[in-house]
C-alpha cells in the first residue's frame, strides 16, 4: 500500500496522458492419449484456458498490471497470475511490488498461450517442481547496455506452489511425475500418492537472475531460487498383509491400532496424511538464439532439497532440461506457419523410496508440432507428444485453437 501511495508522488511532473490497455484470449483444446490409465476416457475437448490482461499507466514511470487466467478446477487465487505495480527510475533500475511471474526462466515469462509456439509448455514450467509460477513479492530489476545488454532481477516474497496442478483438456499435463509414479507403484500396493493439496500453506523464498543479450542474436542467463523450510502434506495409501508382523521402512507397525482400517482381500488398507518438512534450493541456466526465422531455446534446472519425515533426514535431487527449435515461415496468403521440435528430460525422486534412499524416476518427452497463425487474433496449434518411460511409454495428440482480442 505504501508503494501504491508513494510511487505517483515520485513521478515526473511533465504532462502525461494516462494509458489503459485491455486484452485477452480464449483457448480450446482437444487431447487424445493412447493407453492413458486411470482416466474415464482417452480423449477430451474443453475450454482449457481464458486469459484477461490489463495495464494502467497513470504516469510515465508507473505501470500497474493485472492478469487473470481461467483454467478448469483452479481456484480464483490460482487464476490471479499477476497483480503488480512497477515504478521505473530509469532503464537500469525498476522497483516492482505485488504478484508477478517468477522471473527465472524466459519461458515462464512467456507463459500465456498466444505468445509461445507450442500447445504444451515444458514440464520445467508446468510442474513447478523447481520454482513457483508466480510470487507475491518485491523485485529490483533493470537492464544496461545497447548492443550487448545485461539484465538482472532480484526478488523475495511469498508464494503458494501449484505443484502438479493438472492443466489441459484432460487435466493430465503438469501431473506427469504423479502419473508415472502411481503407475509404477499403483494404488493397490504399498506406497505414496503425491502431494494432494500443496496450496494450503504460504511459503517464503527469493532468488535472482542475471542475463546477457548479444546483438539480439543470443541470450544467456542463470538463476537461483531458494525457499524456507515449509510443511507439505502428502496422502499415502498403506496396505499391510500381516499388520502385527509388518515392518515398513524400519518402523515397527505392531503397536498401531488397525481397528479403523478397511480390510480388502485379507489386507489392511488406509489412506493417511503425512506432514513433511522440506527446504529446497534450485539453480539453472538458459540459452536463447535467434537468427533470421530460426529460433532455439533451452533450459536446465536442478533442485537440491532436504526432506524431514518420520525422523528421517533425506537429501533429494531433481533435474529437468529441455531444448526446443523452431522456424517461422511467413506466407502472404496464409499467414505465419511455425513448425517446432522439443526434447525434454525429467528426473524426480521415487516418493515411496525417498525416506531411505535417493532412487529416482527418469522419463523423457518428445514433442513435434506446428503453430499456424492466419491472423494476429487467431492461432491454431497441433502437436504430438510422446513420453518414454520403459513399459509405460505414452503418446498423445494435442489440438488447440486460440482466439485473441
Amino acid at each position: 500500500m505504501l508503494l501504491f501511495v508513494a510511487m505517483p508522488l515520485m513521478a515526473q511532473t511533465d504532462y502525461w496522458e494516462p494509458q489503459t490497455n485491455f486484452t485477452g484470449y480464449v483457448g480450446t483444446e482437444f487431447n487424445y492419449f493412447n493407453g492413458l490409465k486411470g482416466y474415464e476416457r482417452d480423449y477430451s475437448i474443453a475450454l482449457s484456458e481464458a486469459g484477461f490482461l490489463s495495464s494502467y499507466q497513470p504516469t510515465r514511470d508507473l505501470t500497474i498490471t493485472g492478469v487473470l487466467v481461467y483454467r478448469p478446477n483452479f481456484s480464483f487465487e490460482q487464476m490471479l497470475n499477476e497483480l503488480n505495480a512497477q515504478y521505473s527510475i530509469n532503464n537500469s533500475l525498476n522497483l516492482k511490488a505485488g504478484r508477478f511471474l517468477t522471473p527465472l526462466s524466459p519461458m515462464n515469462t512467456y507463459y500465456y498461450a498466444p505468445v509461445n509456439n507450442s500447445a504444451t509448455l515444458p514440464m520445467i514450467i508446468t510442474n513447478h517442481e523447481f520454482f513457483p509460477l508466480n510470487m507475491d513479492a518485491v523485485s529490483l530489476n533493470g537492464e544496461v547496455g545497447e548492443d550487448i545488454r545485461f539484465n538482472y532481477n532480484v526478488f523475495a516474497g511469498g508464494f503458494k506452489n501449484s505443484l502438479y496442478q493438472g492443466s489441459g483438456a484432460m487435466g493430465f499435463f503438469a501431473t506427469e511425475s504423479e502419473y508415472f509414479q502411481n503407475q509404477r507403484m499403483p494404488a493397490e500396493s504399498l506406497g505414496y500418492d503425491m502431494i494432494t493439496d500443496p496450496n494450503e500453506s504460504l511459503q517464503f523464498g527469493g532468488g535472482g537472475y542475471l542475463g546477457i543479450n548479444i546483438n539480439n542474436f543470443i541470450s544467456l542467463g542463470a538463476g537461483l531460487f531458494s525457499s524456507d523450510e515449509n510443511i507439505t502434506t502428502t496422502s499415502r495409501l498403506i496396505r499391510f498383509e500381516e499388520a502385527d508382523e509388518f515392518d515398513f521402512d524400519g518402523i515397527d507397525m505392531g503397536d498401531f491400532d488397525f481397528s479403523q482400517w478397511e480390510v480388502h482381500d485379507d489386507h489392511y488398507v488406509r489412506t493417511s496424511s503425512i506432514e513433511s518438512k522440506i527446504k529446497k534450493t534450485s539453480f539453472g541456466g538458459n540459452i536463447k538464439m535467434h537468427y533470421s526465422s530460426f529460433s532455439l531455446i533451452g533450459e536446465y534446472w536442478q533442485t537440491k532439497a532436504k526432506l524431514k519425515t518420520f525422523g528421517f533426514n533425506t537429501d533429494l535431487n531433481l533435474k529437468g532440461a529441455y531444448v526446443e527449435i523452431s522456424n517461422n515461415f511467413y506466407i502472404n496468403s496464409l499467414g505465419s506457419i511455425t513448425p517446432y521440435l522439443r526434447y525434454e528430460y525429467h528426473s524426480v525422486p521415487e516418493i515411496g523410496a525417498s525416506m531411505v534412499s535417493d532412487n529416482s524416476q527418469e522419463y523423457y518427452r518428445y514433442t513435434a508440432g506446428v503453430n499456424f497463425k492466419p491472423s494476429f487474433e487467431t492461432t491454431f496449434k497441433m502437436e504430438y507428444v510422446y513420453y518414454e518411460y520403459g513399459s509405460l511409454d505414452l503418446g498423445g495428440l494435442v489440438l488447440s485453437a486460440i482466439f485473441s482480442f
Side-chain angles (χ1 to χ4, degrees):
M1 291 300 295
L2 287 173
L3 288 168
F4 271 88
V5 172
M7 284 178 178
L9 299 178
M10 298 164 61
Q12 297 179 1
T13 57
D14 57 334
Y15 177 76
W16 172 261
E17 183 71 27
Q19 299 182 15
T20 302
N21 293 292
F22 181 80
T23 185
Y25 63 93
V26 177
T28 59
E29 188 172 294
F30 171 79
N31 294 169
Y32 170 77
F33 285 91
N34 182 20
L36 188 64
K37 300 178 181 179
Y39 289 75
E40 294 181 359
R41 296 179 297 176
D42 290 337
Y43 62 90
S44 181
I45 185 170
L47 173 66
S48 60
E49 193 172 316
F52 305 92
L53 301 82
S54 63
S55 66
Y56 175 58
Q57 198 169 356
T59 71
R60 191 184 307 276
D61 301 317
L62 177 64
T63 304
I64 300 172
T65 302
V67 180
L68 183 71
V69 178
Y70 165 82
R71 291 184 180 87
N73 302 319
F74 276 46
S75 67
F76 176 82
E77 184 178 6
Q78 291 172 312
M79 296 181 194
L80 186 61
N81 276 20
E82 298 186 66
L83 183 60
N84 61 75
Q86 177 163 289
Y87 179 75
S88 178
I89 299 173
N90 51 52
N91 288 338
S92 61
L93 182 59
N94 304 290
L95 173 63
K96 181 184 288 189
R99 177 169 296 185
F100 48 83
L101 297 176
T102 307
L104 290 172
S105 158
M107 187 68 78
N108 199 57
T109 56
Y110 288 92
Y111 184 81
Y112 307 110
V115 293
N116 58 74
N117 285 329
S118 57
T120 58
L121 290 169
M123 292 178 289
I124 282 178
I125 306 301
T126 59
N127 293 24
H128 306 138
E129 295 162 317
F130 302 93
F131 50 83
L133 168 68
N134 52 25
M135 297 184 66
D136 300 323
V138 175
S139 160
L140 289 176
N141 61 87
E143 184 178 76
V144 295
E146 294 183 5
D147 293 337
I148 299 178
R149 303 192 304 275
F150 294 90
N151 59 86
Y152 71 94
N153 203 312
V154 181
F155 58 91
F159 64 95
K160 292 185 177 180
N161 199 339
S162 54
L163 189 66
Y164 308 134
Q165 185 77 38
S167 61
M170 298 187 67
F172 174 73
F173 299 116
T175 70
E176 291 93 346
S177 294
E178 181 180 19
Y179 174 80
F180 286 117
Q181 176 69 64
N182 288 338
Q183 295 306 311
R184 185 167 182 171
M185 187 177 293
E188 65 269 14
S189 66
L190 178 63
Y192 278 107
D193 287 337
M194 302 296 285
I195 295 174
T196 53
D197 192 354
N199 299 290
E200 293 181 349
S201 61
L202 180 67
Q203 304 172 217
F204 294 92
Y209 179 85
L210 181 63
I212 180 174
N213 182 295
I214 303 174
N215 295 321
N216 291 322
F217 166 66
I218 183 170
S219 299
L220 300 171
L224 175 71
F225 179 79
S226 182
S227 67
D228 66 337
E229 186 175 79
N230 60 85
I231 298 176
T232 59
T233 302
T234 343
S235 69
R236 180 189 205 180
L237 186 67
I238 307 178
R239 173 180 175 270
F240 296 126
E241 186 171 354
E242 297 179 7
D244 54 351
E245 299 179 2
F246 195 87
D247 183 80
F248 175 67
D249 285 353
I251 302 173
D252 185 2
M253 307 302 291
D255 296 331
F256 276 61
D257 179 10
F258 292 92
S259 61
Q260 303 300 317
W261 290 50
E262 297 181 15
V263 177
H264 294 288
D265 299 327
D266 298 325
H267 293 79
Y268 293 93
V269 179
R270 183 179 181 183
T271 300
S272 63
S273 295
I274 299 172
E275 285 191 345
S276 303
K277 293 183 178 181
I278 186 169
K279 179 180 176 64
K280 65 181 183 181
T281 299
S282 303
F283 52 91
N286 60 77
I287 180 172
K288 187 174 184 180
M289 298 176 60
H290 183 80
Y291 178 74
S292 184
S293 59
F294 174 82
S295 295
L296 178 150
I297 184 171
E299 290 188 60
Y300 170 84
W301 277 89
Q302 184 170 351
T303 290
K304 300 287 188 179
K306 292 187 178 296
L307 175 69
K308 297 180 180 179
T309 306
F310 281 157
F312 289 92
N313 295 321
T314 308
D315 292 329
L316 304 180
N317 192 18
L318 297 83
K319 297 178 182 179
Y322 75 88
V323 60
E324 178 182 305
I325 58 174
S326 62
N327 198 89
N328 177 265
F329 300 94
Y330 183 78
I331 304 173
N332 289 333
S333 59
L334 294 177
S336 175
I337 299 176
T338 307
Y340 55 88
L341 297 170
R342 186 169 67 225
Y343 161 84
E344 297 179 66
Y345 165 78
H346 221 67
S347 174
V348 296
E350 287 185 3
I351 301 301
S354 62
M355 292 192 300
V356 294
S357 71
D358 59 356
N359 293 342
S360 62
Q361 58 171 353
E362 298 181 340
Y363 55 97
Y364 306 84
R365 183 168 77 170
Y366 307 90
T367 304
V370 61
N371 180 310
F372 172 45
K373 200 174 184 68
S375 67
F376 179 80
E377 297 83 8
T378 307
T379 306
F380 299 100
K381 304 178 184 181
M382 179 178 68
E383 69 182 35
Y384 179 76
V385 295
Y386 184 79
Y387 296 87
E388 184 180 297
Y389 188 67
S391 61
L392 299 175
D393 289 359
L394 179 67
L397 177 68
V398 183
L399 304 177
S400 178
I402 303 162
F403 304 95
S404 304
F405 57 87

